[in-house]
Amino acid sequence: MDMELVIQLIFSFIFTACFGVIFNAPTKAIPYCGFVGAIGWIIYYVLIQFNVTEVQASFIGAFVVAIVAQIFARRFKMPMIIFNVSGIIPLVPGGIAYNTMRNIVELDYNMGIQNGMRAFMISGAIAMGLVFAEVIIQLMMRMFKTGRTSMQSFARAKRRQKQG
Amino acid sequence: MDKEQQYELALDCLLLAGQMMMESGAETYRVEDTMLRMARSQNIEDAQSYVTPTGIILSLGKRQVTKITSITTRITDLHKIAKVNNVSRKLSVQMITLEEAYDELRLIQKTNYFLPVHIQALAASIASSCFMVLFNGYWSDMPAAFVAGGIGFMVMLVIQEMTRVKFFSEFLAASVVGLLASLAVHFNLGTEMDKIIVGAVMPLVPGLLITNAVRDLMAGHFTAGIAKGAEAFLTAFAIGSGIAVIVAF
């Protein structure tokens, strides 16, 4: 079990980093993309082992991916999408989307609809996880930095007054 | 430079930034946010934008005529997004002037930030073979997935360059992947054909597009969400039918 976890960790890291290359992430960000993906995947993997359904596991995985991506984005002053996009790649239902289409072109409509619903639910859960994490972080940031942001807005208003 | 020219430059600059971000696969709401933020830094408070995956409409209130730009290609190029974002950040805190920002954006537009093709293909190969481990495939299928994934990705890039029809290049790439996978199984170089195919088409499938589409829908950009969903559906259909052509024989 432990060995299995380490293997999964290493390979999900490589997997995500490779997608970072394909999506042309800035070179110095690629290892961090891999890191984000590995964390998200490990959480998904462990949850699946504990019999959590794939939709819920995807939601939690994406949630954690977005939080880690947000931290990296602030640290490196890069847009969050760089870390998000590669980070969720191990979670996105590419294989299921492919299976759906294959079922449908092979005229197996029942399996096609079933797989299609699965892909839709999982991608919906991932998107929900990303959006929720983003909103919660924004709320928290606003709470922590109330003083600073109001100072900034005050300074900006003053600067504008001067110009106008 | 008088006010009139200043606003015209601002309009061009904002549209160029928005167009490049959209072409590189940024989220719709972020494109809007970036453009409006840049407008605000130039003291244009009443700017309005309407962003869809196929075009951007931008108006700076009564100062200037409204301008439209159309977006014909959509790829994922995170480096470009980071560069444009950097320019907009610098402009917002008044570190650079509007003219400098426009020059920088023009330079970014002309530069190709992609890594060499063989490195991308190698990354696609490695990703395809890693998929075997993550999704309980056999380790012995890894070489087959490695070859099929790399060649499939190469085929897609080359055909895309030649024809500019995304559907066709994806269809052909998926067919090549299907062919290689069935050959590998036929000659006992692989065991599970399905797993090899899924692994090798992973660099092609629109998993990201689906997720982005749902995300745009949640952010209230219904036009963009539906359009991206349609694109994802078309890509999945191209890949599925490309494989089915081979598997049927």
Side-chain angles (χ1 to χ4, degrees):
Chain A
M1 177 74 192
D2 284 343
M3 196 57 213
E4 183 64 27
L5 263 183
V6 174
I7 289 174
Q8 294 281 335
L9 199 64
I10 293 169
F11 276 90
S12 58
F13 178 87
I14 301 172
F15 187 67
T16 317
C18 285
F19 271 94
V21 175
I22 294 173
F23 291 150
N24 197 25
T27 321
K28 69 171 181 179
I30 287 175
Y32 298 97
C33 292
F35 185 66
V36 174
I39 289 181
W41 174 254
I42 277 303
I43 286 171
Y44 175 85
Y45 185 78
V46 169
L47 286 175
I48 290 287
Q49 302 292 314
F50 283 108
N51 290 329
V52 180
T53 61
E54 52 185 6
V55 175
Q56 289 159 346
S58 299
F59 173 80
I60 297 171
F63 191 86
V64 175
V65 162
I67 287 176
V68 181
Q70 184 77 260
I71 293 168
F72 281 149
R74 278 172 199 278
R75 183 146 148 47
F76 294 104
K77 291 207 165 28
M78 284 176 186
M80 193 179 149
I81 185 173
I82 290 178
F83 303 102
N84 257 349
V85 157
S86 353
I88 57 169
I89 276 291
L91 303 177
V92 294
I96 303 175
Y98 152 77
N99 272 332
T100 308
M101 274 306 152
R102 196 174 149 198
N103 291 143
I104 288 176
V105 291
E106 283 174 350
L107 308 184
D108 185 358
Y109 296 126
N110 278 330
M111 272 316 281
I113 295 292
Q114 204 177 326
N115 276 328
M117 268 332 277
R118 265 177 78 199
F120 181 75
M121 285 302 286
I122 293 175
S123 51
I126 293 172
M128 244 169 85
L130 291 179
V131 172
F132 276 27
E134 220 169 305
V135 171
I136 289 173
I137 287 174
Q138 265 171 17
L139 279 178
M140 272 166 57
M141 279 295 167
R142 207 170 292 165
M143 260 154 57
F144 284 138
K145 291 191 172 174
T146 327
R148 223 183 102 192
T149 44
S150 67
M151 277 300 283
Q152 280 173 334
S153 65
F154 179 70
R156 197 179 297 150
K158 213 170 177 185
R159 197 166 61 219
R160 235 173 243 149
Q161 223 171 23
K162 234 182 250 173
Q163 284 170 348
Chain B
M1 193 190 278
D2 62 1
K3 272 273 190 245
E4 186 77 9
Q5 276 174 320
Q6 185 78 22
Y7 286 134
E8 196 173 339
L9 185 65
L11 190 59
D12 284 340
C13 186
L14 263 58
L15 263 182
L16 187 61
Q19 184 191 355
M20 278 198 290
M21 284 185 82
M22 211 62 211
E23 279 173 351
S24 312
E27 310 104 303
T28 312
Y29 71 90
R30 199 164 301 244
V31 174
E32 261 185 10
D33 187 56
T34 304
M35 290 202 303
L36 295 184
R37 204 174 286 217
M38 285 167 83
R40 243 175 279 134
S41 74
Q42 300 304 310
N43 292 317
I44 303 167
E45 298 290 343
D46 51 352
Q48 292 276 337
S49 71
Y50 179 70
V51 182
T52 71
T54 50
I56 300 175
I57 303 173
L58 181 67
S59 151
L60 301 184
K62 287 181 183 167
R63 301 179 180 84
Q64 266 286 325
V65 288
T66 301
K67 259 196 176 178
I68 300 176
T69 185
S70 75
I71 294 159
T72 45
T73 54
R74 278 170 302 279
I75 44 169
T76 311
D77 184 350
L78 299 176
H79 201 156
K80 212 168 223 177
I81 297 178
K83 287 274 181 193
V84 175
N85 193 59
N86 199 15
V87 172
S88 102
R89 200 188 288 256
K90 278 194 285 187
L91 186 68
S92 303
V93 295
Q94 322 266 329
M95 248 171 75
I96 52 175
T97 64
L98 196 60
E99 291 92 68
E100 283 167 348
Y102 189 62
D103 288 342
E104 271 190 48
L105 287 175
R106 288 295 292 273
L107 192 67
I108 292 169
Q109 192 187 24
K110 280 187 207 127
T111 320
N112 179 13
Y113 290 103
F114 272 103
L115 293 171
V117 175
H118 57 271
I119 293 183
Q120 284 185 56
L122 183 69
S125 305
I126 297 173
S128 303
S129 44
C130 286
F131 187 86
M132 291 298 124
V133 182
L134 296 183
F135 292 88
N136 300 324
Y138 293 108
W139 287 70
S140 56
D141 284 350
M142 280 174 76
F146 186 89
V147 173
I151 293 180
F153 192 75
M154 279 290 253
V155 167
M156 190 188 73
L157 286 185
V158 170
I159 305 285
Q160 174 73 18
E161 195 64 35
M162 272 159 47
T163 61
R164 301 261 160 217
V165 184
K166 218 174 147 211
F167 187 88
F168 187 66
S169 58
E170 278 152 358
F171 180 88
L172 226 60
S175 311
V176 169
V177 166
L179 190 68
L180 286 172
S182 54
L183 281 179
V185 174
H186 184 77
F187 291 110
N188 285 326
L189 295 169
T191 8
E192 275 182 300
M193 193 170 106
D194 256 344
K195 281 268 165 62
I196 297 175
I197 290 179
V198 175
V201 295
M202 265 314 264
L204 313 175
V205 291
L208 177 71
L209 266 174
I210 301 174
T211 311
N212 253 353
V214 181
R215 217 164 152 215
D216 271 340
L217 284 177
M218 278 182 189
H221 287 278
F222 298 113
T223 331
I226 298 289
K228 277 186 189 162
E231 195 177 1
F233 176 79
L234 206 63
T235 308
F237 187 72
I239 293 171
S241 48
I243 303 271
V245 165
I246 298 297
V247 175
F249 288 117

